[in-house]
Amino acid sequence: MSGELSNESQAFRYALEAVRAVEPAVAAAIGQELADQRESLKLIASENYASPAVLLAMGNWFSDKYAEGTVGRRFYAGCRNVDTVEALASQHAKELFGAQHAYVQPHSGIDANLVAFWAILASRVESPALEKAQVRHVNDLTEADWFNLRRELGDQRMLGMSLDAGGHLTHGFRPNISGKMFEQRSYGTDPATGLIDYAALRETAREFRPLIIVAGYSAYPRLVNFATMREIADEVGATLMVDMAHFAGLVAGKVLTGDFDPIPHAQIVTTTTHKSLRGPRGGMVLCQSELADQVDRGCPMVLGGPLPHVMAAKAVALAEAKRPEFRDYAQRIVDNSKALAEGLLKRGATLVTGGTDNHLVLLDVSSYGLTGRQAESALLDSGIVTNRNAVPQDRNGAWYTSGIRLGTPALTTRGLGTAEMEQVADLIHTVLSQTTQAAGADGKVSLAQYRLADGVADTVSRRAADLLSGHPLYPTVDLG
Ligand code: PLP
């Protein structure tokens, strides 16, 4: 292979050649995915572009290793190199976030939340059956012990943010396992302002007396005051758990500090590593020392074998996030989000809460006469990738929705700045203002059908491509 090619190009070319030799269709799909990502204006708030170092740290023989247990205390032999990367990832996470303990094994954000629920239950709930289960061999437990364990742990309460206010499925949404594990109640936002109503939340907490209060969100465009949340939790004897999956990059980059930094306030914090934090797909739990032992039981109580190749990539990504330039990146994410919001407001768009303080903007597309589903499709036709999202009290439900969630972490990684966000706002407005509801095959107007005026998709796609051409994605990677 040519000596003129960058190291990254050579690495990915070799990798694809090896894959192509076995299953050419997979190699082709991987190559096409890079081409698609390069060409689209990605505004999905939960996505990003991990560095080549992070990506390459995942494609190796660590993937073959079983390592159930924790560092230095494994159920399998031969784990010394896994110990090295897991300890390193955990150390980087503690230093980066100022956390007392970090558990880097969860495979995803959902797994991290389950580990946290388990750790809180196991440490807070008086359960002789659980104590027995944790110190005795499982075969020593009788049927009555198992029955008692379910009864002792199965009667607890959780208070989380409602899905349509921006919470996540795992924060107690009824059909999700979290809504079945706990008796659940949710808090929402003030209909007049769209902001979390802390007074109402306090009232609900006083009356409901939950074991866990979950703060954090997938689609709330403002800051959350974690100091206030902790005060409420303390008042009612609840454990405060914060799910910072979306905004971990802003915490790492010190954009969210003081009352808005969850680490000093929550007893336990969960996150994904692949959104604004810009690492590999995965999860993580950070906690105060008193919960550490229970959190470290994530495997085998909740998880199977950890993914050593992903833990290696987490260590790389966390090392990247400790660099000073990551702070600059995190600040630019928020600057871009505010610029995007201002550009949309200037054009008459309706935004939930009237703006943003973080990495995302929630655009209410009902003012364009559209559902979220129609808006998402029309934007996709025009080279703009977003996702539809419910707005508070959404009358179109969670499938069609009335909103579009827009996030800036990915475009910021590509190097787009506030001036470009003004143009992105114009592209979005151009598409939505020229899209109308349309009738389906049965002649009835549906919540999914739409009509985009002639020529708009082509013009906007061309303008989006022009905008992106100045900010190439993975500029050091040439697949040939
Ligand atoms: N928590 C929040 C707040 C999220 O937004 C998400 C994903 O969108 C998750 C948890 C789940 O993460 P994962 O998809 O890695 O399981």
Side-chain angles (χ1 to χ4, degrees):
M1 211 159 276
S2 160
E4 313 219 323
L5 281 176
S6 70
N7 289 340
E8 285 95 345
S9 299
Q10 292 189 48
F12 285 109
R13 283 190 186 199
Y14 278 128
L16 283 179
E17 259 174 46
V19 175
R20 195 175 297 117
V22 181
E23 179 48 284
V26 171
I30 295 172
Q32 189 57 48
E33 182 59 27
L34 177 59
D36 289 356
Q37 295 212 18
R38 279 179 163 156
E39 281 163 20
S40 57
L41 199 79
K42 175 151 96 173
L43 283 159
I44 294 186
S46 49
E47 293 187 9
N48 211 326
Y49 305 108
S51 71
V54 168
L55 297 178
L56 290 166
M58 277 185 283
N60 56 66
W61 28 94
F62 260 142
S63 139
D64 299 331
K65 192 76 197 94
Y66 249 108
E68 285 178 27
T70 46
V71 175
R73 199 169 174 278
R74 305 284 184 186
F75 291 88
Y76 285 78
C79 293
R80 64 179 181 160
N81 301 309
V82 179
D83 280 358
T84 301
V85 294
E86 180 169 352
L88 199 54
S90 164
Q91 189 56 32
H92 281 326
K94 285 194 285 184
E95 285 169 16
L96 177 64
F97 291 105
Q100 291 172 2
H101 183 71
Y103 181 64
V104 298
Q105 292 191 14
H107 307 165
S108 71
I110 282 192
D111 287 3
N113 286 350
L114 284 174
V115 170
F117 297 152
W118 172 260
I120 298 168
L121 280 172
S123 62
R124 293 272 324 268
V125 179
E126 195 73 17
S127 171
L130 177 65
E131 265 167 45
K132 199 168 167 189
Q134 291 196 330
V135 295
R136 303 267 292 274
H137 191 276
V138 284
N139 291 345
D140 295 340
L141 269 75
T142 63
E143 273 311 306
D145 289 328
W146 291 116
F147 175 82
N148 285 339
L149 195 138
R150 275 196 296 275
R151 191 175 49 78
E152 286 157 6
L153 297 187
D155 205 16
Q156 301 301 322
R157 295 175 171 180
M158 174 205 280
L159 176 62
M161 193 173 192
S162 71
L163 198 61
D164 76 343
H168 188 255
L169 295 170
T170 51
H171 300 178
F173 181 58
R174 287 260 157 75
N176 181 265
I177 182 76
S178 58
K180 299 187 195 305
M181 280 171 77
F182 296 94
E183 186 185 338
Q184 182 274 347
R185 203 67 82 76
S186 55
Y187 60 88
T189 47
D190 179 339
T193 60
L195 301 174
I196 292 175
D197 185 341
Y198 293 100
L201 197 169
R202 190 186 294 271
E203 276 315 301
T204 309
R206 280 180 181 157
E207 190 240 314
F208 186 54
R209 314 292 299 185
L211 177 78
I212 306 177
I213 295 182
V214 184
Y217 54 79
S218 300
Y220 180 68
R222 296 293 182 174
L223 305 183
V224 178
N225 189 320
F226 299 113
T228 304
M229 297 291 281
R230 176 61 189 265
E231 194 190 292
I232 297 170
D234 282 349
E235 187 187 324
V236 301
T239 296
L240 177 63
M241 167 177 158
V242 174
D243 178 348
M244 64 169 184
H246 259 262
F247 52 90
L250 306 186
V251 179
K254 310 294 174 224
V255 174
L256 300 181
T257 55
D259 291 354
F260 308 111
D261 175 355
I263 307 293
H265 303 292
Q267 286 99 332
I268 189 159
V269 176
T270 57
T271 185
T272 56
T273 45
H274 49 272
K275 303 185 204 280
S276 55
L277 194 54
R278 209 163 59 182
R281 298 201 76 81
M284 209 158 65
V285 182
L286 307 172
C287 66
Q288 297 185 342
S289 307
E290 60 269 22
L291 281 167
D293 284 350
Q294 292 297 350
V295 164
D296 281 350
R297 291 174 195 248
C299 165
M301 304 310 272
V302 176
L303 307 170
L307 311 176
H309 55 308
V310 181
M311 293 197 293
K314 285 173 183 169
V316 174
L318 290 162
E320 288 177 348
K322 282 166 83 178
R323 293 179 175 166
E325 49 272 35
F326 195 86
R327 292 193 182 198
D328 173 54
Y329 166 64
Q331 186 55 54
R332 283 188 293 112
I333 291 176
V334 178
D335 294 345
N336 280 344
S337 183
K338 285 179 187 283
L340 179 62
E342 275 160 30
L344 289 164
L345 288 170
K346 206 162 80 186
R347 289 167 176 82
T350 305
L351 305 184
V352 173
T353 77
T356 180
D357 293 322
N358 58 19
H359 65 297
L360 71 88
V361 172
L362 195 53
L363 171 60
D364 185 338
V365 293
S366 44
S367 61
Y368 290 102
L370 301 171
T371 63
R373 171 92 189 265
Q374 291 161 331
E376 177 192 270
S377 304
L379 289 166
L380 187 63
D381 292 348
S382 313
I384 303 174
V385 187
T386 63
N387 69 288
R388 63 187 184 279
N389 206 102
V391 300
Q393 294 92 40
D394 201 312
R395 54 196 167 87
N396 289 325
W399 179 250
Y400 292 108
T401 81
S402 304
I404 287 288
R405 190 181 64 168
L406 307 166
T408 52
L411 289 184
T412 306
T413 295
R414 274 187 91 143
L416 277 79
T418 51
E420 283 99 348
M421 289 304 135
E422 161 68 19
Q423 294 182 54
V424 172
D426 192 56
L427 296 180
I428 293 169
H429 177 72
T430 302
V431 172
L432 299 184
S433 57
Q434 297 185 73
T435 304
T436 47
Q437 302 220 344
D442 58 1
K444 289 192 191 140
V445 170
S446 83
L447 298 176
Q449 304 291 327
Y450 62 98
R451 188 178 176 284
L452 186 50
D454 291 344
V456 175
D458 283 348
T459 315
V460 170
S461 297
R462 258 198 310 277
R463 284 179 57 196
D466 274 354
L467 202 56
L468 293 176
S469 65
H471 303 279
L473 178 62
Y474 297 115
T476 58
V477 179
D478 172 7
L479 295 184

